[in-house]
């Protein structure tokens, strides 16, 4: 199976005939993630690779964009039915009059790490040292952008004291750091491990674990999730339930299998030839504790995420945010693994 680096269809689109339905009964669902090779989005990929979407009789395709903000844009445009990105997008979108909700929470950590380039590492030991530096993010309006501003603000820096540069993810992020276009930047696994293994970067702020996230952000955080427009969910409840059931099964698979067993189910172009597989397994092994086991929103997390966004983005007024409309546990609570 081949995966184009920017925008591709994942797996073979399942035909209606394979699902035993007539064309009039089936609706093709298009899902999108802000970088499908990122470990934080693994539950989506496994749901496809393990045949869980097929088990639900779904005809689907999965597309990829470099940053979560692009995924959110496609969702609002109606080009896709479901998005896989960070929970903070649901709050940000509501602040702009858009009604979306998270249906499955993948991670109870941010799953991100701020790295400092080897070329800029001298004297760059905390976020306070970012003054006058250029910080890389996957995209403007992305979760990496939100959290970069938050960490800088928490360190006492104003947005005027540093620059933010959108550089994408994966190879494009690594190239930007190696070419000296950014002094530091925020990225996910396995790209982070690739930079650390090569010696081209060092860790500045580690939010890949729940404990590291709490230390950096001052409280709990929900990272990647599956979300959709509430209007679509309300009119496609059966499809929404099937999507949720497939992804919750993926979370259960992650919780019950080793990093080696999981990697065997991942497309090989996610880690490449040679030592890339061993590096991917190592990154996955350290990342596995961040995944939720049931897809539920952790208690107290939405308010903590709102607090972060309020400091990162002054245009978000918490008085005008209804957190109860940014997520629901309704669908994950209905899931009974092993039964339809």
């Amino acid at each position: 199976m081949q995966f184009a680096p920017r925008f591709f269809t994942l797996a073979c689109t399942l035909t209606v005939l394979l699902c035993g339905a007539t064309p009039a009964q089936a609706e093709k669902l298009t899902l999108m993630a802000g970088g499908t090779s990122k470990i934080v989005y693994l539950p989506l990929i496994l749901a496809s690779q393990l045949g869980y979407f097929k088990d639900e009789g779904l005809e689907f395709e999965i597309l990829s964009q470099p940053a979560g903000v692009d995924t959110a844009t496609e969702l609002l445009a109606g080009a896709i039915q479901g998005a896989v990105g960070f929970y903070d997008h649901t709050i940000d979108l509501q602040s702009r009059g858009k009604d979306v909700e998270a249906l499955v929470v993948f991670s109870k950590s941010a799953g991100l790490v701020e790295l400092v380039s080897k070329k800029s590492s001298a004297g760059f030991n905390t976020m306070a040292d970012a003054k006058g530096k250029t910080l890389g993010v996957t995209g403007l309006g992305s979760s990496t952008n939100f959290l970069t501003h938050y960490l800088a603000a928490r360190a006492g820096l104003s947005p005027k004291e540093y620059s933010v540069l959108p550089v994408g993810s994966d190879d494009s992020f690594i190239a930007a750091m190696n070419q000296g276009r950014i002094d530091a930047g925020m990225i996910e696994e396995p790209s982070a491990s690739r930079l650390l293994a090569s010696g081209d970067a060092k860790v500045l702020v580690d939010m890949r674990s729940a404990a590291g996230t709490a230390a950096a952000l001052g409280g709990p955080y929900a990272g990647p999730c599956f979300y959709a427009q509430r209007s679509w969910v309300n009119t496609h409840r059966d499809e929404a339930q099937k999507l949720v059931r497939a992804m919750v099964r993926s979370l259960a698979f992650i919780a019950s299998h080793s990093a080696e067993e999981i990697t065997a189910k991942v497309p090989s172009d996610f880690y490449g030839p040679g030592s890339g597989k061993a590096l991917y397994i190592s990154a996955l092994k350290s990342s596995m504790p961040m995944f939720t086991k049931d897809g539920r929103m952790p208690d107290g997390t939405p308010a903590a995420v709102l607090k972060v966004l309020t400091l990162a983005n002054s245009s978000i007024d918490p008085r005008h945010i209804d957190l109860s409309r940014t997520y629901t546990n309704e669908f994950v609570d209905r899931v009974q693994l092993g039964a339809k």
Side-chain angles (χ1 to χ4, degrees):
M1 183 184 305
Q2 295 297 314
F3 290 77
R6 175 174 171 79
F7 193 84
F8 59 87
T9 300
L10 175 70
C12 297
T13 300
L14 302 179
T15 66
V16 180
L17 291 177
L18 283 176
C19 301
T22 65
Q25 294 174 312
E27 176 185 355
K28 182 178 179 179
L29 301 177
T30 302
L31 312 176
M32 181 180 285
T36 51
S37 62
K38 298 174 183 177
I39 287 176
V40 292
Y41 299 146
L42 185 59
L44 172 69
I45 304 307
L46 287 177
S48 173
Q49 295 293 101
L50 296 172
Y52 294 161
F53 288 137
K54 181 178 179 179
D55 290 346
E56 298 294 334
L58 296 172
E59 184 184 2
F60 72 100
E61 63 178 346
I62 297 176
L63 308 176
S64 182
Q65 285 281 17
V69 62
D70 302 315
T71 303
T73 299
E74 293 295 319
L75 182 72
L76 296 179
I80 61 175
Q81 286 71 55
V84 172
F86 278 59
Y87 167 66
D88 50 27
H89 285 297
T90 70
I91 297 175
D92 176 62
L93 291 172
Q94 189 185 112
S95 74
R96 294 187 274 131
K98 309 301 181 182
D99 208 12
V100 300
E101 63 182 350
L103 306 182
V104 186
V105 176
F106 291 176
S107 172
K108 50 185 182 286
S109 77
L112 295 159
V113 57
E114 182 77 19
L115 299 178
V116 175
S117 168
K118 179 181 178 181
K119 299 176 182 178
S120 305
S121 61
F124 202 156
N125 300 308
T126 70
M127 280 300 293
D129 300 321
K131 186 175 182 178
K133 305 294 187 180
T134 299
L135 307 180
V137 298
T138 55
L140 297 179
S142 67
S143 297
T144 56
N145 191 35
F146 296 149
L147 291 174
T148 294
H149 284 304
Y150 176 81
L151 293 176
R154 203 173 185 213
L157 299 180
S158 75
K160 295 181 180 180
E161 294 182 288
Y162 59 93
S163 301
V164 171
L165 182 67
V167 294
S169 58
D170 300 324
D171 289 343
S172 62
F173 182 96
I174 292 172
M177 183 162 281
N178 289 339
Q179 293 165 5
R181 291 192 289 126
I182 57 175
D183 298 297
M186 192 175 293
I187 196 64
E188 303 94 339
E189 293 287 10
S191 297
S193 286
R194 288 173 59 190
L195 280 163
L196 293 170
S198 67
D200 292 324
K202 70 175 185 179
V203 173
L204 186 69
V205 181
D206 197 339
M207 299 178 287
R208 290 174 291 182
S209 68
T213 297
L217 304 181
Y221 210 81
C225 67
F226 169 67
Y227 65 93
Q229 295 197 71
R230 286 175 62 90
S231 58
W232 183 85
V233 174
N234 289 337
T235 56
H236 295 78
R237 297 183 64 80
D238 183 56
E239 291 90 341
Q241 186 66 68
K242 290 177 178 180
L243 289 168
V244 168
R245 185 159 42 233
M247 287 184 234
V248 171
R249 287 183 68 190
S250 288
L251 289 168
F253 184 89
I254 292 171
S256 59
H257 290 76
S258 68
E260 291 80 4
E261 290 170 325
I262 296 168
T263 300
K265 303 298 182 181
V266 172
S268 60
D269 39 346
F270 278 17
Y271 50 77
S275 60
K277 184 174 183 179
L279 188 66
Y280 185 93
I281 290 173
S282 176
L284 175 57
K285 190 172 296 185
S286 62
S287 298
M288 285 169 63
M290 77 179 178
F291 291 107
T292 67
K293 290 182 171 61
D294 56 13
R296 299 187 89 257
M297 176 66 74
D299 293 341
T301 297
V305 175
L306 176 59
K307 183 178 179 180
V308 168
L309 286 184
T310 300
L311 183 60
N313 185 350
S314 59
S315 67
I316 296 179
D317 187 341
R319 296 172 299 176
H320 299 153
I321 298 297
D322 181 356
L323 290 173
S324 69
R325 295 180 68 85
T326 63
Y327 75 97
T328 178
N329 288 322
E330 174 187 359
F331 293 94
V332 295
D333 284 346
R334 284 208 197 98
V335 174
Q336 295 182 4
L337 294 179
K340 284 293 188 75

